Amino acid sequence: MRMRLRRDLIADLKRYDTQLADNHRELAALLDELGTSLRDVPGVGTILAGRLIGRTGIAHRFPTAAAFATYNGTAPVQIASAQSDRHRLLEEFQWGSCRTWLTRFFCHQW
């Protein structure tokens, strides 16, 4: 019984490994087809590039880097009270660690 379970688990792991490799190749081919330069940014690989494009779409649809920053929540928002002006990022930004990569890419791009 245990040997059969082990064989089944090993077969499952091999199948999952093959599926992951196939998915990675397919995603890389799709990114090549789009012609994105995201993977040229240090630290951005195929998976992160796919995730960013999946969240934001193609960058060329935004006329400027500022328009994109406003869309994704990385543009500073002015906070004014009395005599002081400050800027901060929106708290509602929901993409977690994508913010850093989006900012790095579009500062690098434009």
Side-chain angles (χ1 to χ4, degrees):
M1 175 76 170
R2 284 185 175 181
M3 286 301 285
R4 186 178 58 81
L5 288 174
R6 287 182 190 150
R7 276 192 298 254
D8 290 346
L9 285 173
I10 290 172
D12 286 345
L13 288 174
K14 288 180 180 179
R15 189 178 74 246
Y16 294 146
D17 192 43
T18 302
Q19 284 178 335
L20 281 173
D22 291 344
N23 288 344
H24 194 271
R25 276 191 296 277
E26 185 178 339
L27 182 57
L30 288 171
L31 291 171
D32 290 341
E33 189 178 309
L34 287 174
T36 181
S37 60
L38 266 174
R39 289 178 289 176
D40 296 339
V41 176
V44 178
T46 302
I47 303 299
L48 184 56
R51 183 176 175 202
L52 291 172
I53 289 176
R55 293 261 188 186
T56 63
I58 302 299
H60 301 294
R61 70 187 181 112
F62 298 98
T64 63
F68 180 74
T70 300
Y71 169 78
N72 68 35
T74 57
V77 177
Q78 185 176 10
I79 306 297
S81 69
Q83 303 292 324
S84 112
D85 274 344
R86 298 185 322 258
H87 292 83
R88 66 173 174 79
L89 295 176
L90 287 174
E91 296 296 325
E92 298 89 33
F93 190 73
Q94 299 176 20
W95 298 352
S97 64
C98 282
R99 173 186 284 185
T100 304
W101 294 108
L102 289 167
T103 305
R104 280 183 70 187
F105 174 68
F106 284 97
C107 288
H108 173 75
Q109 183 79 8
W110 276 294

